[in-house]
Amino acid sequence: MQSAAQRLNYSGSFVYQQGSVIRSSRVTHVMTAKGEEEKLELLDGKPREFIRHHDDVVSYLPDLRIMRKEKRVTRDVFPAILDARPEDLAEHYRFAAGAEERVAGRICRAIVLEPLDQLRYGYRFCGDKSTGLLLRAQTLGAKGEVIEQISFTQIEIGGIDRSRVSPTYKDTRGWQLEQASMSPADLSVWRVTPPPGFRKVQQVRRLIPDRAPDGAAPAQNRPAGREVSQIVFSDGLAAISVFIEPGSQGREEGTIQEGAMNILGRRQGDYWLTVVGEVPPAAIRQVANSIELTSK
């Protein structure tokens, strides 16, 4: 499923359902001699468009007349949401073959991943029978109920012209160009213990821009000029981010749950910590309780 999402040319519309929130988007992906190129368009709410070449992403916010350049932090844009070897996942999930299903007019084969602990969700993936491309991904709760899902409603595979990944907004004269400030960081003074199977995949410092795009996680929606450190852990399916920033005045500690996403904010000394991840609340609490500042 993962290799198909990276090497195939495809274009399709998909629906993302998280709790009571439903959003539709369109993704177009082409593989060229120079690598992957991708265009992601949000079809609901204010228009937003993201053009990716390798790991370089340009975001277009036409209503604000802003064009933002940045590096992607995680590789989790549907349908390329898997980033682990099966043998590694098998240490923490039980695999089961599901039935053939029909999604977006195509036959797909289901694979169910049941978690072996209480610190991660289960998943049901349905891959296109002829190409392997992931057509639907469902996140499952403790009782097997669907708590979040992404599913193509229409998909073309093959025969996608490269021009279809070009930005819609050709004339950006007068737009504000924001160069997202993000750089690798040594955050070894912060000791964080993730759940078993999660490994550290990135640690960066980033300057939060004046405005955040619609749908940004609360942890990323900060006043202008705030420098935030971010440590990202992943088990190849789910990601957990720890955001660390100085100052905690005027903020209320607490937790928020939106579909499969859980968010915890708390003070720790002179810092404000936000832990965000598509994992059960117990995993978020475990990570938050493990955080230590070893020295300054």
Side-chain angles (χ1 to χ4, degrees):
M1 291 178 184
Q2 184 70 0
S3 62
Q6 295 170 335
R7 62 180 169 79
L8 294 177
N9 294 353
Y10 52 87
S11 181
S13 300
F14 62 89
V15 172
Y16 170 59
Q17 182 175 1
Q18 182 190 61
S20 61
V21 176
I22 300 176
R23 298 189 181 96
S24 57
S25 304
R26 178 167 50 241
V27 63
T28 302
H29 177 276
V30 297
M31 189 67 181
T32 70
K34 296 182 179 179
E36 291 181 84
E37 295 188 22
E38 188 174 77
K39 178 179 182 178
L40 176 65
E41 305 163 81
L42 305 190
L43 302 179
D44 298 331
K46 294 179 180 178
R48 296 288 184 265
E49 187 171 288
F50 308 89
I51 305 293
R52 177 174 70 85
H53 180 67
H54 298 304
D55 287 338
D56 296 316
V57 180
V58 180
S59 307
Y60 294 85
L61 291 66
D63 57 316
L64 301 175
R65 297 176 65 81
I66 289 176
M67 184 169 62
R68 181 177 299 143
K69 295 184 178 181
E70 57 191 327
K71 294 282 187 180
R72 66 172 176 172
V73 176
T74 57
R75 293 165 172 78
D76 57 358
V77 174
F78 182 77
I81 61 174
L82 309 172
D83 190 23
R85 299 181 305 169
E87 54 266 35
D88 292 336
L89 293 176
E91 295 182 13
H92 303 284
Y93 297 90
R94 181 184 299 107
F95 290 74
E100 287 190 353
E101 302 178 21
R102 189 166 177 263
V103 175
R106 301 180 69 95
I107 301 299
C108 62
R109 288 177 172 168
I111 298 174
V112 180
L113 278 67
E114 301 174 0
L116 299 179
D117 57 37
Q118 304 299 312
L119 300 177
R120 61 199 84 216
Y121 292 120
Y123 299 91
R124 182 187 295 114
F125 300 123
C126 209
D128 183 52
K129 187 175 180 180
S130 60
T131 66
L133 185 69
L134 180 64
L135 299 182
R136 183 173 63 203
Q138 297 175 313
T139 304
L140 309 177
K143 298 179 181 179
E145 74 280 14
V146 177
I147 55 177
E148 183 174 295
Q149 66 177 333
I150 311 176
S151 180
F152 276 115
T153 56
Q154 174 273 330
I155 181 72
E156 303 171 61
I157 302 177
I160 307 300
D161 190 89
R162 185 180 177 184
S163 63
R164 294 174 64 177
V165 296
S166 299
T168 301
Y169 308 98
K170 308 294 185 183
D171 184 2
T172 56
R173 288 175 296 180
W175 287 39
Q176 179 182 346
L177 175 62
E178 293 183 351
Q179 190 75 42
S181 177
M182 184 177 72
S183 58
D186 179 4
L187 302 175
S188 56
V189 296
W190 290 95
R191 184 177 299 156
V192 183
T193 305
F198 282 80
R199 59 185 179 87
K200 185 185 296 183
V201 295
Q202 197 162 30
Q203 47 184 357
V204 297
R205 282 196 178 90
R206 59 197 306 167
L207 188 66
I208 302 303
D210 289 347
R211 306 175 183 88
D214 290 351
Q220 297 176 330
N221 192 9
R222 300 286 188 241
R226 297 298 294 270
E227 185 179 78
V228 179
S229 299
Q230 180 183 9
I231 307 173
V232 183
F233 302 91
S234 175
D235 71 348
L237 288 178
I240 301 172
S241 284
V242 177
F243 295 91
I244 305 164
E245 54 186 310
S248 61
Q249 300 302 315
R251 299 187 183 183
E252 292 186 12
E253 296 187 352
T255 60
I256 301 173
Q257 182 169 4
E258 298 177 356
M261 180 74 71
N262 282 280
I263 304 168
L264 182 152
R266 67 165 52 163
R267 299 178 185 84
Q268 186 153 324
D270 297 329
Y271 295 88
W272 180 261
L273 308 179
T274 308
V275 185
V276 181
E278 290 195 335
V279 291
I284 294 294
R285 289 194 299 269
Q286 177 177 304
V287 170
N289 291 338
S290 78
I291 301 174
E292 294 181 63
L293 178 59
T294 58
S295 62
K296 292 187 178 180

